[in-house]
Amino acid sequence: MFEVDDTLDRSVLSAEVARTVLPPTGGSVLDVGCGGGRAAMSLVPPAERVIGVDQNPAMLAAFTTAAADAGARSITIEGTWPDAVFDTPVADVVTCHHVAYNVAEIEPFIGALTGRARLAVVLVIPTVHPMTAWNNAWRRFWNIERPAGPTSDDFAAVLAEMGLDAERWEMPRPPLSRHTSDPATQVPSTLRRLCLGEDRADDVADFLALHEPDWPMVHSVFRWPGEAD
Ligand SMILES: C[S@@+](CC[C@H](N)C(=O)[O-])C[C@H]1O[C@@H](n2cnc3c(N)ncnc32)[C@H](O)[C@@H]1O
């Protein structure tokens, strides 16, 4: 179940894990929770057709532009997965990056991904839920102990319970954008996230100067066989 493959270049590991199952030409990728299409476009070429599903229409517009820039044919479906599955064509590979922790009912979500993949599903999540990064701050400002999960081990357990034979790799998280550590954006976003008023801005700035949020450092990459005809 748990496999570390050191022969793959870690910086592009998730793309390699998908690319190795795509046909050399003419392949298709369905990207669920596609955002601007980072996962799908990393597979063009060899993929020639990309399908983006997202609940946010602005993200789908960005996906369409990115596909045109990459030279791929594209369609988009606006909707929430798994409900959107009924409007969504099958593809060779289904990608789903940084969405799964957002999902309340994970089994139907995984079932719908699997049912739309001819060859494989490739799903990426941080090893722990990204909101755990704020646990220290919740303790400091509200004296609240927040959960330390869910984790990618929990996700692996769900796949096993569903009888899906998944491979798994771990890769270092790509560098964070500069905005993430810029106090000008980090203080207001921390105030919002912790439900604190503007009057606590100085306290939050002092806290952040000493305690960087504990961002997950590692991403888990899962690949399991698709079940579409
Ligand atoms: C953190 S972003 C990741 C975007 C992209 N996959 C990437 O890795 O760059 C999550 C995206 O998933 C979308 N999303 C979250 N839950 C979804 C769901 N159940 N169905 C469809 N889209 C969803 C959000 O609108 C957002 O665009």
Side-chain angles (χ1 to χ4, degrees), residues 8-9 35 37 47 57 67 82 110 112 118 136 140 162 174 185 206 217 220 226:
L8 292 170
D9 176 348
I110 293 169
R118 273 192 217 98
N136 285 342
R140 158 69 180 78
M162 292 177 73
T185 52
D206 290 347
M217 299 299 288
S220 297

Side-chain angles (χ1 to χ4, degrees), residues 16-18 20-21 120-123 165-167 169 221-225:
E16 283 305 313
V17 162
T20 50
V21 294
V121 180
V122 176
L123 182 143
D165 186 15
E167 300 165 277
W169 298 263
V221 181
F222 293 91
R223 182 177 70 193
W224 65 92

Side-chain angles (χ1 to χ4, degrees), residues 33-35 38 54-56 59 79-81 97-99 102 109:
C34 61
R38 224 173 356 180
D54 205 290
Q55 59 201 11
N56 181 336
M59 289 293 112
T80 302
W81 199 263
H97 290 198
H98 303 293
V99 182
N102 198 42
F109 186 92

Side-chain angles (χ1 to χ4, degrees), residues 13-47:
L13 189 142
S14 57
E16 283 305 313
V17 162
R19 201 174 284 129
T20 50
V21 294
L22 273 169
T25 58
S28 56
V29 174
L30 163 61
D31 193 0
V32 172
C34 61
R38 224 173 356 180
M41 300 326 150
S42 73
L43 301 174
V44 178

